[in-house]
Amino acid sequence: MPYSILLDCDPGLDDALALLLAHGDPNIELVGVTTVGGNVKLENTTRNALQLREYLKFPDVPVSAGAAGPLVREARDAAHVHGSGGLGSVVLPDAQLAVTGQHAADFIIETLKKTPGKIHLVATGPLTNIAIALEREPAIARWAASFTIMGGSYTRGNATVAAEFNIWADPEAAKIVFDADWRVTMIGLDLTLQAHANGAVIDRLKQLGSLADELIVPLATFYFNPTMPDWDGQAVHDVCAVAYVARPDLFLAQPARVDIETRGEFTAGMTVVDFDTSTPNSLVATKLDVDGFWAYVESVYARVAAEHSA
Ligand code: BDR
Ligand code: CA
């Protein structure tokens, strides 16, 4: 029985690789893609999602655009990481097909409502669309089969010392999301920094032909810097969140209470994680089976690559 996934994302190098996994795994049915402003502006994340949909050939999966910026703050992007367009050096053909015209939050509500308990919601960008959806319809917290995010950390951040980018970009939205009536699975930096596309991984990916040459390797190496001490390749953060839904056996996750710092001068966007709680609201991923993860991801990518060059 396939896992139905609705992916809310801000492509984004690793979001694009996550989309590729969700599309390519035969055990995943991708039921929709929603976009949010984050790594780059909404118009670019949406354009990237539309272009990827046609390039990867899943034209029937609806794409809906959502929030251009955070609930209350000024937008702050990560174009310095993902390139000004969001996909690094990758340039894809213009898309012919358009977005649904429905706001991402309404698309999420409508889609989850149709088949309660069946669709796994995954968010790999700032949590603005999910927060708006929860405010418009709190019952989505019951209708989602599960809710998994890439975001946060229980040690240190990457946007600031304290905060991971997706939470830092919209802490008020993250607070609404973690305080809602569901259990959030948090795939944070402590987990995703175990998933580096290092030299050995890239060498294997390079064997996959034109899809690897045109898309996978450029996305996975855009800020690869082999001259940095201790550098072990780019982490494919968002891929881990999709992988968790289809292959939870590759992850260790523990119940925890996660609260979002929204006010701290130095700590806004921090995920305050308490593993010793009696009131858990989350499952926090701690350990990845790294070899198993790459074997899974590479097998899915190989499958899509074979179809792509057929
Ligand atoms: C997260 O931030 C974004 O830049 C990436 O796409 C990922 O979702 C990592 O902190
Ligand atoms: Ca992302």
Side-chain angles (χ1 to χ4, degrees), residues 12-13 17-18 33 50 116 146 296:
L13 304 167
L17 290 167
V33 176
L50 291 172
S146 69
Y296 162 59

Side-chain angles (χ1 to χ4, degrees), residues 71-133:
L71 293 181
V72 294
R73 294 176 187 243
E74 289 290 301
R76 298 179 291 191
D77 68 26
H80 58 290
V81 177
H82 297 262
S84 56
L87 296 183
S89 60
V90 171
V91 179
L92 296 174
D94 287 343
Q96 304 303 311
L97 303 172
V99 289
T100 60
Q102 192 175 26
H103 189 283
D106 295 324
F107 179 84
I108 291 168
I109 294 167
E110 195 173 281
T111 307
L112 296 180
K113 186 175 188 175
K114 267 189 232 155
T115 52
K118 294 279 183 253
I119 294 172
H120 299 266
L121 183 60
V122 178
T124 61
L127 293 165
T128 322
N129 287 340
I130 312 294
I132 295 171

Side-chain angles (χ1 to χ4, degrees), residues 176-294:
I176 290 169
V177 167
F178 275 89
D179 289 350
D181 190 18
W182 56 11
R183 186 185 69 174
V184 180
T185 297
M186 177 176 128
I187 310 289
L189 289 176
D190 312 282
L191 187 291
T192 63
L193 290 172
Q194 298 168 46
H196 284 113
N198 63 22
V201 171
I202 296 299
D203 284 348
R204 293 195 299 272
L205 291 172
K206 280 182 178 164
Q207 310 301 312
L208 299 182
S210 61
L211 184 71
D213 298 341
E214 293 167 13
L215 189 76
I216 302 173
V217 172
L219 290 174
T221 58
F222 181 63
Y223 59 92
F224 187 93
N225 184 351
T227 62
M228 267 168 67
D230 301 329
W231 176 260
D232 200 22
Q234 280 176 223
V236 290
H237 306 282
D238 296 341
V239 179
C240 300
V242 170
Y244 179 81
V245 175
R247 291 293 309 274
D249 57 300
L250 298 172
F251 296 74
L252 266 187
Q254 296 177 38
R257 163 116 220 134
V258 179
D259 288 298
I260 307 298
E261 177 58 77
T262 55
R263 280 176 297 196
E265 182 182 355
F266 302 108
T267 53
M270 183 177 183
T271 44
V272 180
V273 179
D274 180 5
F275 287 106
D276 293 325
T277 181
S278 55
T279 56
N281 60 352
S282 307
L283 251 192
V284 174
T286 54
K287 186 146 176 45
L288 179 67
D289 169 354
V290 176
D291 292 344
F293 171 81
W294 284 113

Side-chain angles (χ1 to χ4, degrees), residues 41-80:
K41 286 190 191 324
L42 178 70
E43 64 189 71
N44 287 341
T45 61
T46 305
R47 181 205 60 203
N48 293 343
L50 291 172
Q51 291 181 340
L52 285 160
R53 171 172 75 172
E54 286 175 37
Y55 178 79
L56 295 171
K57 304 190 182 77
F58 51 94
D60 297 336
V61 176
V63 174
S64 294
L71 293 181
V72 294
R73 294 176 187 243
E74 289 290 301
R76 298 179 291 191
D77 68 26
H80 58 290

Side-chain angles (χ1 to χ4, degrees), residues 8-15 39 82 123-126 150 165-166 237-238:
D8 184 70
C9 57
D10 63 336
L13 304 167
D14 53 335
D15 301 82
N39 285 324
H82 297 262
T124 61
M150 188 285 131
F165 176 78
N166 288 336
H237 306 282
D238 296 341

